[in-house]
Amino acid sequence: DQQVKQNSPSLSVQEGRISILNCDYTNSMFDYFLWYKKYPAEGPTFLISISSIKDKNEDGRFTVFLNKSAKHLSLHIVPSQPGDSAVYFCAASGAGANSKLTFGKGITLSVRP
Amino acid sequence: DTGVSQDPRHKITKRGQNVTFRCDPISEHNRLYWYRQTLGQGPEFLTYFQNEAQLEKSRLLSDRFSAERPKGSFSTLEIQRTEQGDSAMYLCASSLVQGVDSPLHFGNGTRLTVT
């Protein structure tokens, strides 16, 4: 029972273009959503988050959009850089950013120079 | 902030043996989590502590698994009578409950291979 779904396993974009990573969830009790980035042989690193009371949160090149009615969120990276190549995990919590997280399977982003 | 530290980074063991992993969280963090990640999957929650109290255990955590955080600082995860299906990356994370937007910080994990 996947409560957080990342249906596209991989994405390849050209350097300088926009990367859009999608995530869907099924549990309406989730109220906080996070994106983590993972390089090989390292643990996941927090990237950006959004509370369910917002529909957009921006941090530099990274913007997360939340559509509660559709139970969908997306991460936009503009402009994409080769160093952004990594696995991106969408995660959700029912009790804030610092509580138990439910993760999606991840999406591998490749940014071509 | 030295980050979350996990030891060892890699562990190879034979089926049936016991293994123990250690996690040192960020010093001021009062919550500590254990997750497991297998190939092609995201991290799956196993258990978490607030200070020394173990507050939740996943049904994934069979009787062969036990976790402790005796003084509310470091934590250990023990797997008894290991099985090949236990092969995975075991991730530890910590967080500070008092911070509303304080996300989980993960260590680099312990990769377990059961032969």
Side-chain angles (χ1 to χ4, degrees):
Chain A
D1 177 25
Q2 278 279 14
Q3 298 186 67
V4 177
K5 301 178 183 179
Q6 295 179 260
N7 293 321
S8 302
S10 62
L11 175 68
S12 180
V13 300
Q14 193 74 37
E15 181 180 5
R17 297 291 189 96
I18 184 171
S19 295
I20 300 177
L21 289 70
N22 293 307
C23 177
D24 298 288
Y25 63 96
T26 58
N27 189 339
S28 57
M29 298 301 291
F30 288 146
D31 65 355
Y32 212 93
F33 304 90
L34 306 89
W35 285 91
Y36 279 81
K37 174 180 177 180
K38 186 182 183 303
Y39 293 117
E42 295 184 9
T45 301
F46 171 72
L47 193 57
I48 191 169
S49 64
I50 187 167
S51 164
S52 60
I53 62 174
K54 297 183 178 180
D55 55 18
K56 176 183 174 180
N57 188 27
E58 191 172 354
D59 183 1
R61 297 186 298 113
F62 303 92
T63 302
V64 56
F65 296 92
L66 175 62
N67 183 334
K68 284 183 61 180
S69 61
K71 292 191 176 67
H72 176 84
L73 61 154
S74 60
L75 174 67
H76 293 211
I77 305 174
V78 183
S80 301
Q81 299 174 354
D84 296 329
S85 297
V87 178
Y88 288 79
F89 291 101
C90 173
S93 164
N98 50 30
S99 296
K100 180 181 76 172
L101 299 178
T102 301
F103 285 84
K105 290 185 177 183
I107 178 169
T108 300
L109 173 65
S110 299
V111 180
R112 307 185 304 272
Chain B
D1 180 359
T2 58
V4 178
S5 177
Q6 292 189 246
D7 184 70
R9 289 295 308 273
H10 303 274
K11 178 70 177 179
I12 300 174
T13 191
K14 292 184 177 181
R15 186 168 48 126
Q17 297 294 305
N18 298 345
V19 295
T20 300
F21 311 141
R22 176 180 171 122
C23 172
D24 288 273
I26 293 172
S27 58
E28 65 268 24
H29 284 185
N30 48 10
R31 277 200 182 167
L32 187 148
Y33 300 78
W34 285 99
Y35 282 79
R36 179 175 70 187
Q37 185 179 14
T38 54
L39 196 62
Q41 302 295 318
E44 295 174 294
F45 170 78
L46 293 178
T47 187
Y48 88 94
F49 295 82
Q50 179 152 325
N51 301 313
E52 66 274 10
Q54 188 173 19
L55 296 188
E56 186 175 348
K57 293 169 61 174
S58 164
R59 55 186 167 81
L60 293 175
L61 214 64
S62 76
D63 292 345
R64 297 184 297 105
F65 288 71
S66 63
E68 294 183 345
R69 194 183 184 198
K71 296 183 179 179
S73 56
F74 73 92
S75 176
T76 58
L77 178 68
E78 180 183 16
I79 309 174
Q80 296 182 329
R81 305 181 302 281
T82 52
E83 302 173 356
Q84 288 188 321
D86 297 331
S87 295
M89 175 73 81
Y90 290 83
L91 293 163
C92 177
S94 68
S95 71
L96 181 61
V97 174
Q98 292 169 350
V100 173
D101 291 326
S102 173
L104 272 64
H105 294 256
F106 283 84
N108 288 331
T110 294
R111 180 167 294 284
L112 173 66
T113 302
V114 181
T115 61

